[in-house]
Amino acid sequence: MTELTAQTALDFTSVADAQISPDGALVAFVAGDSFTVDTKLPKSNIWVVPTTGGEPRRFTRSHRSDMTPRWSPDGETLAFLSDRRTDGQRQVYLISRGGGEAERLTDVSGSIPSPRSLDPLAWSPDGKRIAFLMTDPETDAEVQRKSDKNDAIEFERHPQFTRIY
């Protein structure tokens, strides 16, 4: 039996957010790190496995964070969040059930939150639209203030809201 140490705990792969395809044939899930090293978000990819059993296969190949897989109502497309283009800036991507290269759907500058208790991404029932949550982006003044290293916190002076897009 292997002794549980800090290093063995860090070596564990985190598995989360299992989503069954509408036809019940596949499960998409996220596997990756539960900590960050050299990136703003933990590194992860989306995997799929048949519900009848078999070997999981890696479905996305990002060097950053692919997460929140959501099947389209017809089961032919998987929407997901990724920061593959800009570290820490999640965008919505689409990938065909058959695999291939993911297509970026959004180009937003606000934060798309993903706490465990919040589902930030959903398809419309007809599969023609995707709704997602996004926190208001920083204003130019806020960006400049951070650039100037002015880290004073003015509580609720300039609120940022999380909205549905």
Side-chain angles (χ1 to χ4, degrees):
M1 188 163 143
T2 304
E3 179 182 349
L4 182 61
T5 65
Q7 185 58 49
T8 57
L10 290 175
D11 290 340
F12 284 132
T13 297
S14 173
V15 177
D17 206 3
Q19 300 289 316
I20 300 173
S21 62
D23 64 2
L26 294 173
V27 176
F29 62 94
V30 177
D33 298 337
S34 54
F35 55 91
T36 59
V37 175
D38 301 327
T39 56
K40 293 181 180 178
L41 301 169
K43 294 176 184 174
S44 61
N45 280 280
I46 297 170
W47 292 66
V48 294
V49 65
T51 55
T52 56
E55 288 297 313
R57 72 179 167 101
R58 189 170 165 182
F59 202 57
T60 63
R61 298 207 174 268
S62 175
H63 59 281
R64 291 200 184 115
S65 176
D66 290 348
M67 59 188 310
T68 318
R70 297 295 179 264
W71 292 103
S72 61
D74 66 3
E76 293 302 313
T77 306
L78 197 65
F80 65 97
L81 299 176
S82 179
D83 70 339
R84 56 180 58 194
R85 188 170 192 201
T86 303
D87 190 18
Q89 178 60 65
R90 293 183 186 106
Q91 302 291 340
V92 178
Y93 283 80
L94 301 176
I95 190 168
S96 168
R97 179 184 182 131
E101 187 59 39
E103 174 187 347
R104 185 171 48 93
L105 186 64
T106 61
D107 187 12
V108 298
S109 59
S111 171
I112 300 176
S114 65
R116 293 179 193 252
S117 62
L118 184 66
D119 195 356
L121 186 66
W123 287 86
S124 64
D126 64 4
K128 293 181 180 180
R129 292 185 172 87
I130 296 175
F132 63 96
L133 297 175
M134 186 175 73
T135 304
D136 294 338
E138 292 179 327
T139 65
D140 291 340
E142 290 169 319
V143 170
Q144 182 63 47
R145 185 179 53 78
K146 285 184 178 179
S147 175
D148 294 342
K149 304 211 183 300
N150 176 356
D151 60 358
I153 298 172
E154 298 175 307
F155 184 70
E156 291 189 357
R157 177 129 185 192
H158 306 284
Q160 290 179 302
F161 297 100
T162 299
R163 304 171 195 272
I164 299 173
Y165 288 82

